[in-house]
Amino acid sequence: AGQTSEYQSKFRFSKSSMKPETLTEPPHENYAYEGAPTLIDGLHGSQNYRTGRWIGFWGTPLEATIDLQQPTEIQRVAFRSIININDWIYNPKECTVSVSDDGKKFRKVAEQHYDLADWDHINSIETYQLPFDTVTTRYVRVRIAGHQLPQGHTGFGHPAWLFVDEIEVE
């Protein structure tokens, strides 16, 4: 008898899904995969950060500008990050959300700082949400910076990897 397998992907759409997006700095070449579109394709990554559903940054922040293509009412940005401490992958250190009507002059609407993950989060996927007062805007800039590896880690003194799989705008 033959075996069959079923593969299923769930899409999660938001106001940023499939919209034009640019990155200020490219992801690290080893984990660039499809680049910027990975962050707005509606597909979530698994615990395996090597599948192409995550993009990775090392020593540079992720800074994405999303063109919503028309003035749009928004009140929240969310993103997911994977933590795999043994592979030097940590949670973000901070995230800033800025908006613009012309794509040139941006104003900050939200900022959040995150403590360094501890060993209890050795292998997890975390969702981060930044709510803010409702604004109508066309461009959304999300800047996510990573931590340095902490004292006691084998890579102490080096940047931690930052992996993100989706930026959702609501």
Side-chain angles (χ1 to χ4, degrees):
Q3 289 185 344
T4 60
S5 63
E6 184 177 313
Y7 180 78
Q8 182 178 4
S9 288
K10 290 184 180 178
F11 291 89
R12 180 171 164 85
F13 290 102
S14 75
K15 294 177 181 179
S16 57
S17 297
M18 310 304 176
K19 298 290 194 290
E21 177 191 28
T22 56
L23 294 173
T24 304
E25 295 287 330
H28 189 278
E29 62 186 16
N30 292 357
Y31 300 103
Y33 302 109
E34 299 299 318
T38 305
L39 298 173
I40 51 166
D41 63 6
L43 296 168
H44 284 174
S46 68
Q47 291 282 359
N48 183 350
Y49 60 89
R50 297 178 183 98
T51 62
R53 295 266 171 94
W54 300 93
I55 57 175
F57 293 81
W58 192 67
T60 59
L62 181 166
E63 187 173 279
T65 302
I66 302 163
D67 180 356
L68 300 175
Q69 300 183 298
Q70 63 186 12
T72 305
E73 197 173 89
I74 64 169
Q75 60 191 3
R76 181 180 69 86
V77 166
F79 66 95
R80 290 177 8 122
S81 179
I82 191 166
I83 301 171
N84 186 328
I85 292 173
N86 290 332
D87 287 349
W88 297 24
I89 304 169
Y90 275 80
N91 63 298
K93 180 178 181 177
E94 60 190 17
C95 179
T96 305
V97 178
S98 303
V99 297
S100 172
D101 294 327
D102 61 8
K104 296 178 179 79
K105 185 178 179 187
F106 284 82
R107 65 181 175 89
K108 183 170 34 176
V109 294
E111 183 175 37
Q112 184 68 49
H113 296 269
Y114 308 101
D115 292 335
L116 187 70
D118 57 29
W119 287 97
D120 292 341
H121 292 93
I122 195 163
N123 197 5
S124 65
I125 297 171
E126 304 292 329
T127 300
Y128 302 88
Q129 303 208 30
L130 286 87
F132 44 87
D133 291 337
T134 302
V135 296
T136 299
T137 190
R138 176 171 172 178
Y139 298 91
V140 180
R141 179 169 290 159
V142 180
R143 184 182 187 279
I144 306 168
H147 285 280
Q148 293 289 112
L149 292 169
Q151 193 165 353
H153 192 283
T154 56
F156 173 66
H158 293 280
W161 282 94
L162 173 68
F163 278 81
V164 176
D165 75 340
E166 201 69 17
I167 296 175
E168 298 173 356
V169 177
E170 294 295 343

